[in-house]
């Protein structure tokens, strides 16, 4: 009998989160049921999560086959990088440069990459977002590189 | 009559120029989102939530609600024209709607969907107006034990409604509850799960979780599949004959609309329901009672009229548990609860007496919005279809940028954007592992409230956990939860047994 990898990984993931919850709430006083401390509910949930994680993993041993786990690394990496870039750059480089960089990086998610299209698209998105959010809705963001700090 | 005076108050709020304008904007954006594949209504509402901070609470909610039912509407347009359901509740519409379109009856299908939805929306609005007050009165008698039991029912309903494994869905709920606890404990002032990060002291922002799990993860998922060529019924290939509606069509569609509306309204009220359940149930009902079931799947107009009415009625009535009990029935209602709390309004039975203008204004605006949708959409269908030809690779960088800016603007914090990236990766992992994020989101929203009521109930009973089963209302609610779960598990056990027997 084959083991269903997807369910095995899911179960392990849930159990790990459960253990994490228990570890992180270990210092919190639990109190009693009548006078619950801040640690009571997290601990109950932590144990429950471990139990259900094991149940999912255990069920995986019984089910056959299962889907193949295929991860699209390219979009995953480029989008995550683009967002991280946004959070790092925005306070320092300002909205315009940040958006240009973000669009350029996120475009790498698709294989059909063309420099011209990316440039035009990045510029369009940047102008549009600046117009709508900064000037239209008045969202407070630095527009240009912040100088003289740090 | 009280109902009439309440509705009069509602319409006096909903029909102000400003509120009609935002209702219009909401339905317009909703339709746009429903038509464009790749951004669901949950992500959109989360995305636009920060932009409503500066609005009055009533106006903000009217706009968000407009996005919700607007998206339902746009979803059916693409379901019919390109066999691409914009979101889950229009999945069944695609079956017969697309077949009608292929036979040159796209216009008829769209008109049926539009009029059916409008009728159902009207009925749904009246139902909320009629049933919300008595339900809220009942809810006012609830103690902490009943509230806790009620939340259990809501969470179990979310589990039952989730696709795939029930055990996984329960685990997702628990994970959501845990995430909801991050921050400062209200009763003791102790920091929990904050890892000494100051930004986490007030808890994880709702928008970050919703946007990461639903928005970012969805974009990654969409980028995974290649863009395909689809057979689009645009005016170029085929003229949309909008007003082509025969007496025979009417004779078939009218009763289906009535049945769909009734079914959708009832299923929408149930926790966990919302729009999806109704449309599926209505399609099955129509097929079952039809004298000629073989027509279904080949362009039966009842297969469009019934489900479309049902999903709109359900979308409307699913506001009832959220507004009267403070219990979100689905992920979108969870966002609505988030929106209300951001505006310092506690959803629940008090909302009607404390905020009658908001409550009745929102309800009246739903009818206004449905009317706007019919007026707005029928002439604009050609435009919406053209939108479908926008390539996703040109679209997603803009969606991504809007997500990032939206999250940043919640509290001008770049840290939140970083957290959105984490939840995006997590959301993608969930989808790969077959774990649905909606139960997690509900758990996340209900987590702090649930702990609060559990604490209070057990303090009152001096730590005796039987309080949940000795109080009749609480016991009844928990029984409902157990029944729902058992009904869901039964076929699974039956299958297990079969498997076991086969192995013998």
């Amino acid at each position: 009998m084959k083991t269903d990898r997807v369910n095995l990984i899911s179960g392990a993931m849930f159990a790990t989160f459960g253990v994490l919850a228990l570890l992180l709430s270990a210092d919190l006083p639990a109190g009693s049921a009548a006078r619950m401390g801040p640690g009571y509910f997290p601990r109950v949930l932590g144990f429950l999560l471990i139990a259900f994680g094991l149940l999912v993993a255990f069920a995986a041993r019984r089910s056959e086959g299962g889907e193949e786990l295929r991860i699209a690394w390219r979009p995953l990496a480029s989008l995550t990088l683009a967002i991280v870039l946004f959070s790092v750059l925005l306070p320092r480089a300002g909205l315009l440069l940040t958006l240009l960089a973000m669009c350029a990086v996120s475009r790498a998610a698709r294989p059909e990459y063309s420099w011209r299209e990316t440039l035009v698209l990045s510029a369009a998105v940047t102008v549009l977002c600046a117009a709508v959010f900064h000037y239209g809705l008045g969202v407070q963001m630095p527009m240009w590189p912040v100088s003289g700090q740090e | 009559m009280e109902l009439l005076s309440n509705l009069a108050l509602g319409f006096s709020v909903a029909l102000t120029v400003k509120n009609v304008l935002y209702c219009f904007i909401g339905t317009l954006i909703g339709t746009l989102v429903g038509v464009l594949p790749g951004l669901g209504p949950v992500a959109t509402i989360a995305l636009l939530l920060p932009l409503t901070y500066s609005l009055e609470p009533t106006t903000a909610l009217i706009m968000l609600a407009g996005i919700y039912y607007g998206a339902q509407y746009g979803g059916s347009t693409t379901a019919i024209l390109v066999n691409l359901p914009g979101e889950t509740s229009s999945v069944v519409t695609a079956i017969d709607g697309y077949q009608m379109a292929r036979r040159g009856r796209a216009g008829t299908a769209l008109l049926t969907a539009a009029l059916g939805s409008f009728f159902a929306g009207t009925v749904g609005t009246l139902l909320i107006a009629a049933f919300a007050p008595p339900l809220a009165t009942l809810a006012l008698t609830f103690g902490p034990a009943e509230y806790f039991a009620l939340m259990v029912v809501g969470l179990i309903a979310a589990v039952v409604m989730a696709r795939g494994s029930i055990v996984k869905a329960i685990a997702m709920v628990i994970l959501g509850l845990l995430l909801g606890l991050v921050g400062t404990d209200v009763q003791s002032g102790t920091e929990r799960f904050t890892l000494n990060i100051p930004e986490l002291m007030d808890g994880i922002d709702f928008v970050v979780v919703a946007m990461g799990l639903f928005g970012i993860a969805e974009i990654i998922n969409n980028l995974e599949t290649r863009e395909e060529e689809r057979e689009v019924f645009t005016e170029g290939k085929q003229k949309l004959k909008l007003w082509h509606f025969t007496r025979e069509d009417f004779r078939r569609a009218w009763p289906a609309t009535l049945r769909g509306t009734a079914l959708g309204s009832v299923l929408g009220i149930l926790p966990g329901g919302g729009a999806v359940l109704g449309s599926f149930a209505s399609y099955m009902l129509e097929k079952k009672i039809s004298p000629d079931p073989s027509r279904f799947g080949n362009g039966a107009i009842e297969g469009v009229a019934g489900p479309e009415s049902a999903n709109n009625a359900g979308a409307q009535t699913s506001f009832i548990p959220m507004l009267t009990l403070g219990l979100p029935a689905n992920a979108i209602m969870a966002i609505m609860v988030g929106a209300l709390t951001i505006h310092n309004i506690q959803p629940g039975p008090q909302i009607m007496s404390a905020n009658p203008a908001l409550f009745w204004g929102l309800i009246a605006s739903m009818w206004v919005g449905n009317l706007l949708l019919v007026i707005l959409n029928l002439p604009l269908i050609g435009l919406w279809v053209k939108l479908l030809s926008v390539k996703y690779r040109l679209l997603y960088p803009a969606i991504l940028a809007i997500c990032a800016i939206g999250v940043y603007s919640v509290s001008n914090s770049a840290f939140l954007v970083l957290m959105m990236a984490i939840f995006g990766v997590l959301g993608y992992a969930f989808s790969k592992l077959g774990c649905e994020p909606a139960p997690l989101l509900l758990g996340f929203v209900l987590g702090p409230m649930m702990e609060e009521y559990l604490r209070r109930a057990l303090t009152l009973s001096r730590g005796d956990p039987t309080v949940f089963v000795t109080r009749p209302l609480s016991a009844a609610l928990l029984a409902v939860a157990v029944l729902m779960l058992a009904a869901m598990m039964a076929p699974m056990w039956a299958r297990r047994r079969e498997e076991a027997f086969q192995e013998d």
Side-chain angles (χ1 to χ4, degrees):
Chain A
M1 194 183 283
K2 262 193 284 178
T3 305
D4 184 344
R5 262 183 71 205
V6 170
N7 279 334
L8 207 60
I9 298 172
S10 319
M13 174 188 75
F14 288 129
T16 311
F17 277 122
V19 171
L20 217 60
L22 288 184
L23 286 179
L24 289 174
S25 60
D27 291 342
L28 302 170
S32 65
R35 296 187 61 86
M36 263 185 225
Y40 193 93
F41 200 49
R43 236 166 273 183
V44 171
L45 293 179
F47 280 119
L48 276 174
L49 195 53
I50 294 175
F52 277 98
L54 292 178
L55 210 61
V56 172
F58 180 71
R61 288 175 48 86
R62 306 189 40 138
S63 69
E64 281 182 49
E67 287 167 61
E68 208 178 313
L69 197 60
R70 259 189 42 240
I71 293 166
W73 291 109
R74 192 182 169 125
L76 182 65
S78 82
L79 288 203
T80 309
L81 185 68
I83 303 169
V84 172
L85 212 60
F86 182 95
S87 81
V88 173
L89 279 183
L90 184 67
R92 296 173 180 84
L95 184 69
L96 298 179
L97 288 179
T98 304
L99 283 181
L100 281 175
M102 187 188 202
C103 289
V105 170
S106 70
R107 286 284 288 132
R110 289 303 270 188
E112 62 271 329
Y113 190 87
S114 111
W115 273 108
R116 255 189 57 194
E117 198 184 84
T118 303
L119 266 173
V120 174
L121 188 69
S122 305
V125 169
T126 306
V127 170
L128 207 76
C129 285
V132 170
F133 289 96
H134 186 75
Y135 298 104
L137 294 160
V139 175
Q140 290 297 311
M141 287 177 287
M143 292 298 281
W144 303 100
V146 180
S147 57
Q149 280 187 346
E150 286 149 330
Chain B
M1 223 176 114
E2 212 189 346
L3 179 69
L4 287 181
S5 67
N6 284 335
L7 283 177
L9 169 68
F11 277 107
S12 74
V13 174
L15 288 177
T16 57
V17 177
K18 191 174 154 201
N19 286 340
V20 171
L21 181 71
Y22 277 98
C23 185
F24 175 75
I25 296 175
T27 47
L28 190 70
I29 296 175
T31 314
L32 188 76
V33 168
V35 170
L36 288 173
L39 195 64
V42 182
T44 316
I45 297 181
L47 183 71
L48 294 171
L49 195 55
L51 305 183
T52 64
Y53 288 173
S54 55
L55 299 174
E56 277 169 52
T58 312
T59 313
L61 275 175
I62 285 176
M63 183 173 149
L64 293 173
I67 298 173
Y68 176 39
Y69 48 75
Q72 311 272 359
Y73 199 104
S76 34
T77 305
T78 51
I80 290 168
L81 291 175
V82 262
N83 200 15
L84 183 78
E87 41 117 29
T88 34
S89 62
S90 25
V91 169
V92 283
T93 309
I95 305 173
D96 278 289
Y98 185 65
Q99 290 306 323
M100 284 178 76
R102 289 191 62 181
R103 294 173 171 213
R105 311 196 61 216
T108 315
L110 288 166
L111 191 67
T112 309
L115 296 179
S117 294
F118 178 65
F119 174 78
T122 309
V123 174
T125 305
L126 282 172
L127 279 177
I128 304 182
F131 282 110
L135 253 173
T137 316
L138 176 72
L140 282 173
T141 65
F142 281 18
E146 281 79 16
Y147 265 109
F148 182 78
L150 195 63
M151 288 178 193
V152 173
V153 174
L155 290 178
I156 294 296
V159 165
V160 172
M161 282 311 295
R163 275 163 298 188
S165 146
I166 294 183
V167 187
K168 274 188 197 169
I170 297 179
M172 288 296 270
V173 165
I174 302 171
L175 190 56
L177 290 170
L178 272 168
L179 284 172
L181 298 183
V182 174
T184 313
D185 172 34
V186 212
Q187 288 206 339
S188 62
T190 325
E191 280 184 31
R192 293 190 290 190
F193 303 132
T194 56
L195 311 167
N196 288 322
I197 299 169
E199 278 91 347
L200 286 179
M201 265 172 59
D202 293 330
I204 302 174
D205 199 281
F206 176 80
V207 180
V208 172
V209 180
M211 203 100 96
L213 290 186
F214 288 89
I216 305 299
E218 215 164 279
I219 302 178
I220 304 178
N221 268 323
N222 286 328
L223 286 173
E224 201 172 332
T225 47
R226 295 189 66 81
E227 287 181 55
E228 308 159 40
E229 288 296 315
R230 285 174 193 280
E231 200 181 349
V232 184
F233 291 96
T234 47
E235 275 152 304
K237 281 184 195 159
Q238 195 175 9
K239 190 98 185 104
L240 285 175
K241 280 180 291 203
L242 203 55
W243 301 104
H244 189 76
F245 207 72
T246 61
R247 182 169 292 197
E248 174 69 8
D249 288 333
F250 187 78
R251 194 183 60 76
R252 287 184 193 278
W254 179 243
T257 302
L258 279 182
R259 286 189 291 265
T261 304
L263 204 57
S265 303
V266 174
L267 292 174
I269 298 176
L270 298 180
V276 187
L277 195 54
S279 60
F280 278 91
S282 162
Y283 190 80
M284 286 190 293
L285 177 74
E286 292 306 323
K287 199 172 171 179
K288 191 152 267 173
I289 61 172
S290 169
D292 181 14
S294 65
R295 288 177 45 251
F296 283 80
N298 295 313
I301 195 167
E302 302 97 302
V304 175
E308 273 306 301
S309 316
N311 87 36
N312 220 39
Q316 225 77 325
T317 54
S318 64
F319 275 89
I320 295 181
M322 193 277 283
L323 285 171
T324 57
L325 310 170
L327 184 81
N330 51 43
I332 295 185
M333 288 305 133
I335 297 189
M336 290 288 182
V337 171
L340 281 167
T341 11
I342 283 163
H343 286 287
N344 278 324
I345 295 164
Q346 188 62 46
Q350 310 85 353
I351 203 175
M352 223 173 292
S353 44
N355 256 312
L358 178 135
F359 182 85
W360 296 106
L362 176 62
I363 290 169
S365 84
M366 292 182 194
W367 189 79
V368 176
N370 274 290
L371 187 65
L372 283 175
L373 277 173
V374 174
I375 301 172
L376 178 79
N377 278 285
L378 291 181
L380 288 183
I381 279 172
L383 179 74
W384 298 127
V385 172
K386 285 220 178 63
L387 259 178
L388 277 168
S389 53
V390 177
K391 289 272 179 286
Y392 194 65
R393 69 165 201 276
L394 302 178
L395 207 61
Y396 79 88
I399 300 176
L400 193 68
I402 296 170
C403 284
I405 298 175
V407 163
Y408 177 84
S409 67
V410 171
S411 55
N412 288 346
S413 147
F415 179 78
L416 291 191
V417 181
L418 205 61
M419 281 187 54
M420 178 179 77
I422 297 172
F423 277 101
V425 174
L426 206 57
Y428 180 70
F430 287 152
S431 80
K432 283 275 122 180
L433 294 173
C435 305
E436 259 202 278
L440 184 147
L441 194 69
L442 276 189
F444 176 76
V445 170
L446 290 178
M449 277 191 269
M450 242 183 135
E451 182 186 25
E452 194 57 35
Y453 286 117
L454 181 69
R455 271 183 183 174
R456 271 194 230 162
L458 286 180
T459 307
L460 288 175
S461 75
R462 295 196 184 80
D464 179 9
T466 56
V467 63
F468 295 109
V469 284
T470 47
R471 293 179 60 111
L473 208 52
S474 160
L477 285 168
L478 287 177
V480 170
V482 172
L483 277 177
M484 277 198 290
L485 210 55
M488 234 6 229
M489 302 280 257
M492 208 167 87
W493 280 328
R495 213 173 50 232
R496 277 277 158 72
R497 280 234 312 269
E498 264 169 46
E499 276 173 22
F501 280 126
Q502 274 168 3
E503 273 169 40
D504 283 340

